[in-house]
Structure formats: structure tokens, C-alpha cells
Amino acid sequence: IQVSQAYRTQSYRLAPGDQLTMRAYYNPQLDEDVQVRPDGNISLSLLGDIRAAGKTASELSAEITKGYAEYFVKPTSVVIVRQFTGYRVFTAGELRTPGQFSLLTGASTVLEAISASGGVTDNGTLTSVILVRHLPGQARPMVAELDIAEALSGDDPRQDVSLMPNDFVYVPRSGMADFNEALQQYIYRNLNFATSAGISAGYNLNP
């Protein structure tokens, strides 16, 4: 799997759920706190609905400033992102505390996301961690299998891939864990059968 370094440095693009503050320097009465709705729009008192998702804060600022130019002589609007909902990653599988985490608080690689999830359980494996990534313009997600154990040991640090927004990290059960569970179920079933059969046979052999 290849991660473009350009992505790591490009400007953040707004996503549904982001919380914004709009400041109008020469018209403070227009200052508003808004949230990007699930449909990708925001609602401003004077301008109504404006598309926000997919734009940078600077692009949205310029669009709002242009809209206010119809009403004011010196409109200067700036959009400030208070909460970055779009910078989330998700974890699941054999982890102690799986869930969702922010890329802005340290979970920026697969290994860091696993660490933020409390680490791998005794039944999990780091040798075949699954990364699912949805890329813009592609209908099907990209799926990669990573050997994070190699990254952890230092043998292949490239396996610890940098994460992108909405990536999904899944830690599967180890083959030994599946084997042990199947063995326990086999022993349990056969032990119960043998015990009940032995009691019955005992009564028959020693009336």
C-alpha cells in the first residue's frame, strides 16, 4: 500500500460533523457557530445554505466573503474549524478497546491506532492486520494486509502505514487462537459425552 506524502501536507477539507466558527471582522453581528450537516451544508442567517463539505476553511471563507459583498461594503469573513470530525479512523477486531480515534491526537499510523485501542488481545495477531481505505472517486475500497509485527520489531517499518481519514483497521484472530478454541470445544463435547457414557457403562458393568 502506498501513501502519498502530498496527502499528509495538504489542507484539511471540511466534512459532515465538523464544528465551525464564522467570524466577520467588520460586521460582528454576523458571527456564528455552525456545524456541517450530514448533507454537507451549513446554514448562515443572512446567506442561507452554503456547501461546506469538501472545501478548505480558506475556500469557504472566500465564498462567504463574496456572498456578504452583496450586502456590506467591507465584508471580511474567516472560518475557523473548532472540531475536526473528518479526521477519524476506526478500529475493530481483537483489540482491548476498539472504536474511533482522531488523527489529530496521535493515532496517525496503524500501530498508533492499535495502541490507542488498548493493544491486541491474547487472541489477536499483528502479522495480518487488515487496512480498509476508501479513496475519492473509487467505488470499491482498497484493502491491504499488513504485517505490523515486522514494523514493531523494526524489520520492516514500512508496514506501519500512515493513516488517512475514515481508514478502518481490523485486527483478526490468530490461527492458534482459532485452533485453541476449536480444540476446547472438541474436548468439551467429547469429555461430556465420555463422562455420561462412562457412568452409564459403569452401572452396566457393576450392577
Side-chain angles (χ1 to χ4, degrees):
I1 185 172
Q2 184 177 2
V3 178
S4 172
Q5 184 63 27
Y7 180 86
R8 305 289 298 166
T9 58
Q10 71 180 0
S11 298
Y12 175 75
R13 294 194 172 274
L14 301 172
D18 284 351
Q19 296 183 17
L20 314 176
T21 293
M22 200 283 294
R23 291 281 184 262
Y25 287 123
Y26 298 104
N27 306 94
Q29 72 275 15
L30 299 175
D31 291 357
E32 294 186 63
D33 291 334
V34 296
Q35 185 174 27
V36 182
R37 302 198 306 259
D39 63 1
N41 295 330
I42 60 172
S43 295
L44 298 179
S45 300
L46 187 58
L47 301 180
D49 286 355
I50 296 178
R51 183 71 180 176
K55 299 175 182 176
T56 66
S58 296
E59 290 171 347
L60 183 59
S61 298
E63 184 173 346
I64 293 174
T65 297
K66 182 178 180 181
Y68 282 145
E70 299 181 12
Y71 304 93
F72 303 99
V73 177
K74 294 172 59 177
T76 302
S77 300
V78 175
V79 172
I80 303 169
V81 184
R82 302 195 322 274
Q83 182 172 335
F84 297 83
T85 305
Y87 259 177
R88 297 174 299 173
V89 294
F90 304 87
T91 62
E94 293 296 328
L95 296 165
R96 301 189 188 280
T97 55
Q100 66 178 35
F101 303 90
S102 172
L103 285 172
L104 302 178
T105 57
S108 59
T109 70
V110 173
L111 188 54
E112 289 173 353
I114 291 173
S115 177
S117 302
V120 181
T121 67
D122 293 338
N123 293 330
T125 177
L126 289 174
T127 60
S128 56
V129 174
I130 304 300
L131 174 64
V132 181
R133 173 170 297 169
H134 294 270
L135 296 175
Q138 295 188 12
R140 293 185 178 182
M142 179 179 63
V143 180
E145 183 175 356
L146 305 171
D147 191 342
I148 300 301
E150 290 286 311
L152 193 61
S153 66
D155 293 335
D156 188 2
R158 295 174 301 174
Q159 295 290 319
D160 188 20
V161 172
S162 296
L163 294 172
M164 294 171 61
N166 297 315
D167 275 357
F168 178 79
V169 177
Y170 179 78
V171 176
R173 289 173 59 86
S174 67
M176 184 58 67
D178 290 334
F179 173 78
N180 287 338
E181 182 178 357
L183 182 61
Q184 290 173 3
Q185 292 177 355
Y186 174 82
I187 293 175
Y188 178 78
R189 289 196 303 267
N190 287 276
L191 180 61
N192 285 344
F193 173 79
T195 300
S196 60
I199 292 173
S200 177
Y203 281 110
N204 290 333
L205 291 174
N206 299 289

